[in-house]
Amino acid sequence: MKAASKFLNAASAAALSAALVVPGAFAVQFVATSAAEAAVVSRVEVSGNQRVDADTIRNYITIKPGKAFSSSDVDSAVKALFGTGLFSDVQINQVGSTLVVKVSEYKVVNQVLFQGNKKLKDNALQAAVQLKPRGTFSQATLDSDVEAVKAAYRRIGRDDAGVTAQIMELGDNRVNVVFHITEGDRTQIAAINFVGNSAYSSRRLSDVINTKRSSWVSFILRDDVYDEDKLRADQELLRRFYFNHGYADFQVVSAVGELDNATNKYTVTITVQEGERYNFGDISVESTIPEVDSKSLESVVETRKGDVYNAKNVEDSIIALTEKVAGSGYAFAQVTPRGDRNFENHTISVVYTVDQGTKAYVERIEIRGNDRTRDYVIRREFDVSEGDAFNQVLIQRAKKRLENLNYFDKVDISTVPGSAPDQVVLVVDVVEKSTGEFSVGAGYSTGGDTAGPSVEGSITERNFLGRGQFIKVSAGGGKNSRDYSLSFTEPYFLGRRIAAGFDIYKSTRQYNNNYDSDTTGATIRFGLPITNSITTQLAYNISQEKYKVDDSCGPTTIGNPDGTCTISPAILDGIAQSPWIKSSISLGLVYNTIDDMKNPHEGIYANTTVEVAGLGGDAKFVKLTGRGSIYQTLSEQLDLVGLISGGAGHVESYGNNGTLRIFDQFQSTDRMIRGFAYNGIGPVDPNTGDHLGGVTYFNASAEAQFPLPVIPESFGLRGAVFADAATLYGSKISTTVDQASLDMKLRASVGVGLMWASPFGPIRIDYAIPVKKEAKDDVQEFNFGISTRF
């Protein structure tokens, strides 16, 4: 009796342990009829199973007929059966020489249905819930799924969405799960308030964060969704912004969103503590590695004494020093910056210390969450592979690269210990986002060779087939134009960080109802990053141009003095050479340090291109162009931004005749000078008054950009005042040109502009008045179009 009692006590303890470990267990019983230390049964009987085969259940337990077993074996058997996730209850009883295993199976989900959902499609909701067809059903999972559906609606700005679940019994232990959804209205953001800021206006800080106040364009942009994760990311954006502008003591005190249930609107309040603004003090490099000369490393440091403190420059210096030392054979070297604040003169001296570092190797890179994106697309963004030295700087660089791909909503990289003390496993967790776009848009432009209304439709995929490739097909046109194009880019050509791609296009134009053009062409291009700021591009271009005089237009010529329209002989000469084949190679260089390409405040954007035509075909010329823009914040508090830009170009023919077509010369545009019509300045035909373009141009512009008072910053409207100057001169065409118009003569204009960061792209309206012009120039004071000023 004592032995039986002891066995019962042990079995009861094991049952209690299993019930605590495995949720949903209703009862576990052990009845022993033999000694506590060991027992033997002649057979194992299974009952209660409907779908799971009895032999399958027997295989999950280690107790076998004819072999002795103990209470711990019974405990292990219970845990093993619960661990399958197939059973809601398990009871094991020993009856004489028979071990009876009685199970209650979880119900099987036949279908998961959603009713009442319109804003979120079924496939999006199915991805959010854990219950799946042919999977097991549990009440705990159902409760969790209800909250998951609510969370999915919160992420699209519908916090008051209601979700209830219904279980429909189908018999044979099968059920349908139905989620009844009341989507409710969109939850908006009534206001975003900043507290504690004095160096920067609330309007400027609103530009920094991604959460935006609700406005009339929010239904398109969807940027007014309150999300706690998004708000946490906004805090990091604010920290980086302040740290990069000298405020090393900045901190976000709090960031909260309060929902007014009556209006279904949030009020977001972000409290900050800016601190003092610092400049860099003394900058030095120290090395604890005897073979590494610290003086030789100072040249790669990007922080300078006297400059405004900038955390990004410190990060870039760490990367540059790490790469420099690693290139000298010290793969495990670690660079640590040490800052010394001087609170009296508000400076921070920085000492970069180079240490040998702990030897650790990357054992494995484990990638999770990429259901669509191929593993190699993620792996290639790392400068380290399995077996390489572990380097935290390179890991952080890879994280930034992955985020910049715009394939993922979230990228996290963590480390876990490997199989040995010097081994590290990198775990990359990603959350994928939609990378395909279908767009249909309309616009209007007052300049260029496609002036007037236009429409365009395009299909774009940034991550084609999960391979990281870019493809775009577009078609559009206006009253006098048609455009079709296909573009493809492979960002890692031959496994190297070389972007290779091609463009195929066809365009037609009708000019003043006088003549038409039809151009078909293709470009093969290769892009190579030289540094983080400098990229180069090599391209081969080929095109065929066909021109013809419009049927309704009889040009006035010597043989046709009664023509119905007048066309310059220079244009007729170009038309007479149709079809014209241009085969060229071009080399471009881009330097870009702009802080925000959508809303620039600081940085330089410069590009230069040289094109050589004559690799076969009819055209023979060398064309050189360049343009640069410098942005600088003039007033932090007023959010006043200054812009100075300039450009130049020259084209020179070569070969037997040394002439150019009118279509190969430069023509003025609003990017060259505003206040004048497209192709409205430069050399002129003395008989027809047509501008013929020129072989050389120079242009410069000064501009101040500012937010519009009263207008909420969420509208994305900014104003500008500007002054432009330009000249276009010289000619290499073979027909008559007004000699006076060939000279280098300056034009100038002043004006005001309105910029809108619209959902359809950057829209700009300019009104410019020429203050210096020539008699035969064509003036156009008003200009409207979709463009940027880079």
Side-chain angles (χ1 to χ4, degrees), residues 588-709:
L589 196 66
V590 176
Y591 177 76
N592 183 9
T593 61
I594 297 295
D595 58 344
D596 184 349
M597 295 297 288
K598 295 181 179 180
N599 186 20
H601 280 70
E602 293 178 356
I604 299 174
Y605 187 92
N607 67 82
T608 181
T609 303
V610 58
E611 180 183 11
V612 179
L615 305 177
D618 304 308
K620 294 184 181 298
F621 62 77
V622 178
K623 182 178 289 187
L624 178 66
T625 58
R627 181 180 177 88
S629 300
I630 302 175
Y631 287 85
Q632 181 64 50
T633 300
L634 304 178
S635 171
E636 304 283 9
Q637 188 63 33
L638 299 177
D639 194 13
L640 181 64
V641 178
L643 164 63
I644 297 177
S645 62
H650 181 74
V651 57
E652 191 70 38
S653 62
Y654 66 91
N656 295 331
N657 55 20
T659 62
L660 290 171
R661 300 179 308 155
I662 183 177
F663 307 120
D664 294 327
Q665 297 195 142
F666 294 111
Q667 297 175 327
S668 64
T669 67
D670 65 299
R671 288 178 58 81
M672 186 181 295
I673 185 170
R674 288 162 284 193
F676 296 85
Y678 171 74
N679 194 27
I681 67 172
V684 176
D685 185 317
N687 299 314
T688 65
D690 291 329
H691 287 88
L692 308 176
V695 296
T696 305
Y697 76 87
F698 296 96
N699 72 290
S701 177
E703 181 170 298
Q705 301 174 357
F706 49 86
L708 295 179

Side-chain angles (χ1 to χ4, degrees), residues 363-376:
E363 179 179 352
R364 188 173 72 255
I365 299 178
E366 183 177 322
I367 302 172
R368 304 184 303 200
N370 56 321
D371 296 329
R372 182 166 179 271
T373 306
R374 311 289 179 95
D375 271 13
Y376 72 83

Side-chain angles (χ1 to χ4, degrees), residues 9 95 107 113 126 140 218 252 265-266 332 371 414 428 446 498 502 515 552 557 563 636 646 719 765:
N9 290 337
V95 181
K107 296 178 180 179
L113 305 173
Q126 286 167 353
S218 296
V252 178
K265 293 182 179 181
Y266 274 101
F332 301 100
D371 296 329
S414 57
V428 184
T446 58
I498 299 175
F502 64 84
Y515 66 98
S552 63
T557 62
E636 304 283 9
I765 302 173

